């Protein structure tokens, strides 16, 4: 108790240095713990990009490619799925609902997707469904619902006339204006790729392409299985009647004899994708750890720098009966107190920061930061920081020990 | 003063030294004292020029330095048989030390500086009913009562030295050791300081070992010793 109070008084006496040392430790702890919180928030948002869908089915191809092209609107689709195949699986007894997904040509860099009303009622992300700021889903083949970012970037409002056409060539084809679309609704911001897409009906998509003199059809080029009836689609989403049948259904689909398909389980595929892109977080953690090391070295330097001016203090303590071990303990306790207070301040900074910034962060980035209690990783970090801080204090303490043995009661001043 | 000496005459000598040798650097003895003894309750003035080993001898008596050879007995306890930890405990319990200057821990208040020995030693603590009250009483006797809550940095050298005496005396240790405590004081303050020191040491019944190079102070003490005459290392070294 005496040592603790001496250490505390001594730290307070050097308030500016102690404060700065504490701050540097706190900042590195905040960085480390903050990154952990943000990582968790980002991972949860990422995992929530698509929810409630049991299977995503596309033409035979890679898992990631199917996921990227349907959920993220990135990469090219694996091919097309014929309408007949879609209808066949839709009627499968294990299937509760399906959402067709037909990727059309881009509109000013944004994806145009043909789908059905099913999409607006069944699709879930982060346990939410697609809702509208204004208007509603497209009803006719002349209506288009647009994502929040599309509306913002292209300045479209409800009832705006939109000419969906093929990229750069758009201007030169008079026919396109022959089939202009009307904005039927603007979708609430979702912080998912939905924000960057335009949704039309399947008929609307066909009409849009016919207006282009058959110059494209699906983005994949001319459909391979051009049969009677509706145009092929890019992929479809499936909700099963019973979750436990998902794996069985997936296997059946992957073994479809009529048309080669790839069925993926979104949660699994998202997890795999996160493994790949999530490695960026390792870099963040390395940076945070380096910052922490700098913070600890800073503490070591500050304690070392104070030693010379404290030789007299050590001699006084020796004179009133303190042993060299007491001197060592005093300095180690000082660094330990700095490390513990630094760690606590750092954690407080993270919680305070999240508390203040979370609504802004969610509104801006769609990352829901939650004030969850410290996880085992964080406790491990904090434990290591306190241990490392105390160990770092051993170096100046050892020096003080040597000094106090050499000085005895006559420190050279 | 002789009364007090007599009253403790039956007890062991405060300090008894036999063939004590010490060197900072191997082969170069700073201290080599064949025999030296202080009676309990005695006030001793030990003088010697700068560098003659006065502070070193006090370090040995305080148990901070360990002798190379010989015996050093304090209050009947042979320090050379104790571990360094035990010597630290012994010092905390039985010895009060006053430095030439810079006696105080800068981050503690005057009061906390004075009561520090009571917090380090149960023996010292047990000899006062209440450390705070004891500090108050000592401060009044040493005319620093008004400074108890001050920061030590606000004190003059003379005030600091009196605080150091209060700290050395609290809990009435048997031996008070002063290492040139007046050399930073002017003549007036030095006399007043010595008066207060003597009065309070007498009150506590402690043995006083006072070291200085200033022979003019010797008159007040029971005994005056020249370190050069006791210390073979100094004469041999021919400093
Ligand atoms: N910590 C030390 N390390 C090495 N030599 C020392 C140390 N302290 C004192 N000395 C040397 O020991 C001798 C006696 O010093 P000291 O006891 O301080 O003398 P005094 O107190 O009489 O001035 C001197 O020669 C001094 O240089
Ligand atoms: Mg000296």
């Amino acid at each position: 108790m005496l040592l603790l109070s001496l250490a505390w008084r001594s730290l307070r006496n050097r308030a500016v240095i102690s404060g700065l040392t504490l701050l540097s430790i706190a900042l590195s702890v905040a960085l480390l713990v903050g990154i952990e919180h943000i990582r968790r928030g980002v991972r949860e948002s990422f995992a929530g990009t698509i929810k409630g869908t049991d299977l995503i089915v596309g033409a035979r191809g890679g898992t990631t490619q199917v996921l990227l092209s349907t959920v993220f609107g990135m990469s090219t689709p694996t091919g097309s799925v014929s309408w007949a195949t879609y209808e066949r699986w839709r009627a499968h007894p294990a299937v509760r609902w399906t959402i067709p997904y037909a990727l059309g040509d881009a509109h000013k860099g944004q994806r145009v997707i043909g789908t059905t009303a099913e999409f607006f009622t069944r699709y879930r992300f982060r346990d939410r469904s697609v809702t509208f700021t204004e208007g509603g889903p497209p009803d006719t083949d002349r209506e288009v619902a647009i994502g929040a970012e599309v509306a913002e970037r292209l300045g479209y409002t409800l009832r705006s006339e939109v000419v969906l056409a093929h990229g750069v060539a758009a201007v030169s084809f008079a026919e396109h204006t022959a089939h202009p679309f009307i904005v039927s609704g603007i979708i609430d911001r979702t912080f998912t790729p939905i924000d960057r897409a335009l949704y039309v009906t399947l008929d609307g998509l066909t009409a849009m392409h016919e207006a282009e003199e058959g110059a494209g059809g699906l983005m994949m080029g001319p459909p391979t299985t051009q049969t009677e009836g509706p145009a092929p689609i890019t992929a479809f989403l499936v909700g099963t009647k019973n979750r436990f049948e998902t794996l069985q259904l997936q296997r059946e689909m992957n073994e479809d004899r009529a048309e080669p398909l790839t069925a993926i389980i979104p949660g699994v595929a998202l997890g795999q994708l996160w493994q790949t892109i999530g490695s960026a977080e390792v870099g963040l953690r390395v940076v945070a750890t380096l910052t922490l090391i700098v913070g600890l070295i800073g503490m070591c330097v500050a304690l070392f720098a104070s030693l010379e001016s404290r030789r007299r203090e050590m001699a006084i303590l020796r004179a009133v009966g303190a042993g060299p071990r007491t001197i060592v303990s005093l300095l180690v306790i000082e660094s330990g107190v700095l490390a513990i207070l630094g760690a606590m301040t750092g954690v407080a900074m993270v919680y305070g920061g999240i508390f203040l910034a979370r609504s802004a962060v969610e509104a801006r980035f769609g990352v829901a930061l939650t004030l969850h209690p410290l996880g085992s990783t964080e406790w491990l970090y904090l434990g290591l920081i306190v241990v490392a801080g105390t160990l770092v204090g051993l170096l100046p303490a050892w020096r003080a020990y040597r000094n106090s043995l050499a000085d005895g009661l006559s420190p050279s001043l | 003063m002789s009364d007090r000496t007599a009253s403790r005459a039956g007890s062991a000598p405060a300090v008894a030294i036999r063939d004590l040798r010490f060197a900072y650097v191997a082969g170069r003895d700073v201290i080599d004292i064949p025999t030296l003894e202080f009676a309990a309750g005695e006030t001793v003035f030990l003088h010697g020029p700068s560098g003659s080993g006065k502070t070193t001898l006090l370090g040995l008596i305080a148990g901070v330095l360990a002798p190379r050879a010989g015996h050093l007995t304090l209050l009947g306890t042979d320090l050379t048989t104790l571990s360094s930890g035990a010597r630290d405990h012994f010092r905390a319990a039985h010895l009060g030390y006053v430095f030439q200057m810079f006696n105080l821990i800068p981050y503690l208040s005057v009061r906390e500086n004075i009561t520090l020995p009571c917090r380090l030693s149960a023996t010292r603590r047990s000899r006062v009913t209440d450390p705070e009250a004891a500090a108050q009483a000592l401060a009044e006797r040493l005319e620093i009562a008004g400074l108890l809550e001050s920061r030590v940095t606000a004190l003059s050298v003379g005030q600091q030295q009196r605080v150091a005496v209060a700290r050395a005396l609290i809990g009435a240790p048997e031996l008070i050791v002063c290492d040139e405590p007046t050399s930073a004081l002017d003549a007036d303050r030095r006399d007043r300081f010595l008066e207060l020191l003597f009065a309070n040491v007498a009150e506590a019944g402690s043995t006083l070992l006072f070291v200085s190079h200033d022979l003019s102070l010797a008159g007040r003490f029971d005994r005056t010793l020249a370190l050069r005459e006791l210390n073979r290392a100094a004469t041999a070294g021919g400093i």
Side-chain angles (χ1 to χ4, degrees), chain A residues 105-135:
Chain A
D105 296 327
H107 170 67
K108 299 189 178 166
Q110 320 289 322
R111 296 210 158 189
V112 179
I113 292 149
T115 185
T116 60
E118 226 74 74
F119 173 79
F120 298 97
T121 54
R122 298 290 190 187
Y123 195 89
R124 295 284 181 281
F125 58 93
R126 297 202 302 276
D127 300 322
R128 283 195 267 170
S129 58
V130 177
T131 52
F132 285 85
T133 319
E134 287 179 284

Side-chain angles (χ1 to χ4, degrees), chain A residues 1-2 5-6 9-10 13 310 312-313 315-325 330 405-406 408-410 413, chain B residues 55 59 62 64-65 84 88 91-92 97 99 101-109 112 116-117 119-120 151 167:
Chain A
M1 266 324 286
L2 171 64
S5 100
L6 283 181
R9 300 295 294 272
S10 151
N13 190 49
R310 297 180 71 185
R312 167 53 61 173
E313 174 193 333
I316 298 166
L317 287 172
R318 292 283 275 138
V320 292
R325 255 169 273 130
L330 179 64
L405 283 186
L409 296 175
S410 56
L413 268 177
Chain B
T55 300
V64 172
L65 303 173
S84 76
D88 293 330
R91 174 170 70 257
Y97 202 102
F99 291 100
M101 57 201 312
F102 307 119
N103 266 290
L104 307 179
I105 306 276
Y107 47 83
L108 297 180
S109 73
E112 289 164 326
L116 193 55
R119 300 178 70 183
L120 271 160
R151 288 184 62 85
R167 183 177 62 205

Side-chain angles (χ1 to χ4, degrees), chain A residues 8 12 150 155-156 239 273 294 307 318 325 339 346 379 386 391 393:
Chain A
W8 176 243
R12 265 189 27 194
V150 174
Y156 296 158
L273 189 56
V294 171
L307 282 188
R318 292 283 275 138
R325 255 169 273 130
W379 279 116
V386 170
L391 288 181

Side-chain angles (χ1 to χ4, degrees), chain A residues 37-46 126 128 190-191 354 357-370:
Chain A
H37 272 73
I38 292 168
R39 196 175 66 90
R40 195 191 285 214
V42 170
R43 188 176 48 197
E44 277 163 11
S45 307
F46 182 79
R126 297 202 302 276
R128 283 195 267 170
T190 64
F191 298 106
I354 289 177
R358 68 171 160 181
S359 51
V361 167
E362 182 155 22
R364 179 76 187 77
F365 302 106
V367 173
L369 298 176
T370 46

